[in-house]
Amino acid sequence: MIAKYAVVVIVGVVALLLGNTRSTCTDVDEGYCSSDQRHEGGSSVEELESRIRELEARMPKKYPEVKFLTYKDRKRILITGGAGFVGSHLVDHLMMEGHEITVADNFFTGRKRNVEQWIGHENFELLNHDIVNPLFIEVDEVYHLASPASPPHYMFNPVKTIKTNTMGTINMLGLGKRVGAKVLIASTSEVYGDPEVHPQPETYWGHVNPIGPRACYDEGKRVAEALGYAYAKQENVDVRVARIFNTYGPRMHMNDGRVVSNFILQALQNETMTIYGSGKQTRSFQYVTDLVEGLIALMRSNYTQPVNLGNPEEHTIEEFASVIRELVGNTKSEIENLSPVEDDPKMRRPDISRAKKQLKWQPTVPLKVGLEKTIEYFRRELQRSKHSERNIFSRDEVVS
């Protein structure tokens, strides 16, 4: 196949060169060319370059070298929300391991560009599908990540957020029941609400406002967990539940309104860095590759109770703003405090004792290392001016 396309390129180049030879200079005997003829020759060169680019675009696509697995070890894995921030990194990891991956995404917050490096690969399939509607495919595992996860996105259409986390979860659990697939539900630290226990263990039932602006997401995820364990008890579906704490890294949505993305964008653009409230509220951030490894470890374990996946290293929002401003460098951004957001948690820190014991997992990427890579990603995104500047990160590039 490659040889075939190489021949096409060579034939095209030769044809155009011959055309240039005929049209570039008609007065060869006299030994000179008119300015019009020279200009025509220049146009032909541009035409040639354009044609070469067009032919190169038809060449077979090059993919990262993935591990080969036999049919005994290769799994068919569905990732809902797989074109999103976390989902796309999970896709990269599992594709490199040699599994067959199907991504279902409605592209509300996900982007095709996050998984474009795999489109066309024999082990990869991308479905434009909203999981509020049933999906009938054959799979061995389901990573159910689909849901808007940042306040501006899940508050944009709260009814749809609730439907995604209830009807969508029912559809994925129903799929698991029909085909005997293991289902991992991506829950959230928001199930703890504005916690009165610190740090938050999985045994804490939470302190959630059921009718507040965040309720569509907080209660939606709480129902998703309840559905998971109802299907496990009643229908014997093999269920895993991950309670994911704040996560950051490359491919974060530029306008998701979260702390890290807001601060980085504001600092890079010399805008005022806005803190909602006093800035004394705390958060714990994990780098995206740590989370992906935790999700995979949970899926492959025999542990069925909810597991916190997060970084127990706690910082105030003020500290995050100062660290990011320092890492961006050469920024004129000042820090300004604005009115607090309703139901914004005052503390957020996971107790990961269960993950350490049951999964042998804990985050390893230092905060500053992860922030430097995230800042570089945002800087490249802001400078991007054409589609050919790809959004592709190898796993080594993201982690190392």
Side-chain angles (χ1 to χ4, degrees), residues 287-307:
Y287 193 60
V288 64
T289 54
D290 283 333
L291 172 59
V292 165
E293 288 169 2
L295 291 171
I296 293 172
L298 177 58
M299 176 66 92
R300 294 174 182 173
S301 75
N302 293 319
Y303 194 74
T304 59
Q305 292 300 300
V307 177

Side-chain angles (χ1 to χ4, degrees), residues 221-239:
K221 288 296 187 181
R222 287 163 73 95
V223 172
E225 289 192 17
L227 283 166
Y229 288 110
Y231 266 83
K233 182 180 292 186
Q234 181 176 319
E235 307 294 349
N236 295 315
V237 177
D238 200 1
V239 171

Side-chain angles (χ1 to χ4, degrees), residues 183-198:
V183 180
L184 184 149
I185 296 172
S187 187
T188 172
S189 60
E190 295 292 336
V191 298
Y192 300 124
D194 188 3
E196 297 174 322
V197 173
H198 194 72

Side-chain angles (χ1 to χ4, degrees), residues 135-188:
L135 183 61
F136 300 98
I137 59 175
E138 295 292 325
V139 293
D140 303 306
E141 294 178 350
V142 178
Y143 287 86
H144 178 33
L145 274 59
S147 174
S150 70
H153 289 150
Y154 63 64
M155 292 180 191
F156 175 76
N157 188 341
V159 173
K160 183 60 183 292
T161 299
I162 293 171
K163 289 173 71 175
T164 300
N165 284 295
T166 53
M167 295 171 63
T169 301
I170 288 171
N171 286 331
M172 292 304 103
L173 290 166
L175 173 63
K177 173 188 171 183
R178 285 193 304 273
V179 302
K182 188 186 296 185
V183 180
L184 184 149
I185 296 172
S187 187
T188 172

Side-chain angles (χ1 to χ4, degrees), residues 51-345:
R51 181 61 176 159
I52 290 173
R53 284 193 295 271
E54 182 182 324
L55 291 168
E56 285 177 342
R58 300 181 191 174
M59 293 286 284
K61 190 173 178 180
K62 293 182 179 179
Y63 301 99
E65 185 65 34
V66 304
K67 183 178 179 180
F68 175 77
L69 296 177
T70 66
Y71 73 94
K72 293 181 181 179
D73 300 319
R74 186 170 60 246
K75 288 185 171 62
R76 301 164 299 173
I77 301 173
L78 169 65
I79 303 176
T80 70
F85 161 46
V86 173
S88 63
H89 287 283
L90 181 60
V91 168
D92 289 346
H93 193 118
L94 294 173
M95 281 291 296
M96 293 302 293
E97 286 188 349
H99 299 291
E100 295 179 10
I101 308 300
T102 299
V103 166
D105 204 301
N106 69 349
F107 301 105
F108 174 57
T109 57
R111 294 178 295 172
K112 189 182 293 185
R113 189 162 170 257
N114 287 340
V115 292
E116 65 180 351
Q117 65 269 33
W118 299 115
I119 293 175
H121 193 284
E122 62 184 285
N123 285 355
F124 181 79
E125 186 171 4
L126 178 61
L127 305 177
N128 189 333
H129 181 83
D130 190 328
I131 57 154
V132 168
N133 302 306
L135 183 61
F136 300 98
I137 59 175
E138 295 292 325
V139 293
D140 303 306
E141 294 178 350
V142 178
Y143 287 86
H144 178 33
L145 274 59
S147 174
S150 70
H153 289 150
Y154 63 64
M155 292 180 191
F156 175 76
N157 188 341
V159 173
K160 183 60 183 292
T161 299
I162 293 171
K163 289 173 71 175
T164 300
N165 284 295
T166 53
M167 295 171 63
T169 301
I170 288 171
N171 286 331
M172 292 304 103
L173 290 166
L175 173 63
K177 173 188 171 183
R178 285 193 304 273
V179 302
K182 188 186 296 185
V183 180
L184 184 149
I185 296 172
S187 187
T188 172
S189 60
E190 295 292 336
V191 298
Y192 300 124
D194 188 3
E196 297 174 322
V197 173
H198 194 72
Q200 295 84 55
E202 292 87 349
T203 52
Y204 177 51
W205 290 357
H207 179 228
V208 176
N209 178 356
I211 59 172
R214 293 171 174 260
C216 60
Y217 184 65
D218 300 5
E219 297 290 14
K221 288 296 187 181
R222 287 163 73 95
V223 172
E225 289 192 17
L227 283 166
Y229 288 110
Y231 266 83
K233 182 180 292 186
Q234 181 176 319
E235 307 294 349
N236 295 315
V237 177
D238 200 1
V239 171
R240 305 287 182 271
V241 173
R243 290 179 179 164
I244 300 171
F245 283 68
N246 298 79
T247 307
Y248 70 98
R251 298 184 193 149
M252 290 184 77
H253 199 288
M254 297 285 280
N255 298 313
D256 68 3
R258 298 189 223 196
V259 170
V260 171
S261 50
N262 274 358
F263 286 165
I264 293 176
L265 273 176
Q266 290 165 345
L268 286 172
Q269 298 178 108
N270 294 311
E271 297 175 355
T272 301
M273 298 174 70
T274 52
I275 294 176
Y276 295 94
S278 66
K280 303 300 182 186
Q281 60 269 47
T282 65
R283 296 292 183 272
S284 304
F285 285 92
Q286 66 184 331
Y287 193 60
V288 64
T289 54
D290 283 333
L291 172 59
V292 165
E293 288 169 2
L295 291 171
I296 293 172
L298 177 58
M299 176 66 92
R300 294 174 182 173
S301 75
N302 293 319
Y303 194 74
T304 59
Q305 292 300 300
V307 177
N308 288 338
L309 294 178
N311 193 330
E313 186 179 316
E314 188 177 14
H315 298 274
T316 67
I317 299 298
E318 278 183 337
E319 289 171 349
F320 273 115
S322 299
V323 169
I324 288 172
R325 185 170 62 175
E326 177 187 336
L327 291 175
V328 168
N330 298 320
T331 181
K332 298 175 183 177
S333 296
E334 299 294 331
I335 297 175
E336 179 184 358
N337 292 80
L338 302 178
S339 300
V341 176
E342 185 179 354
D343 292 339
D344 189 31

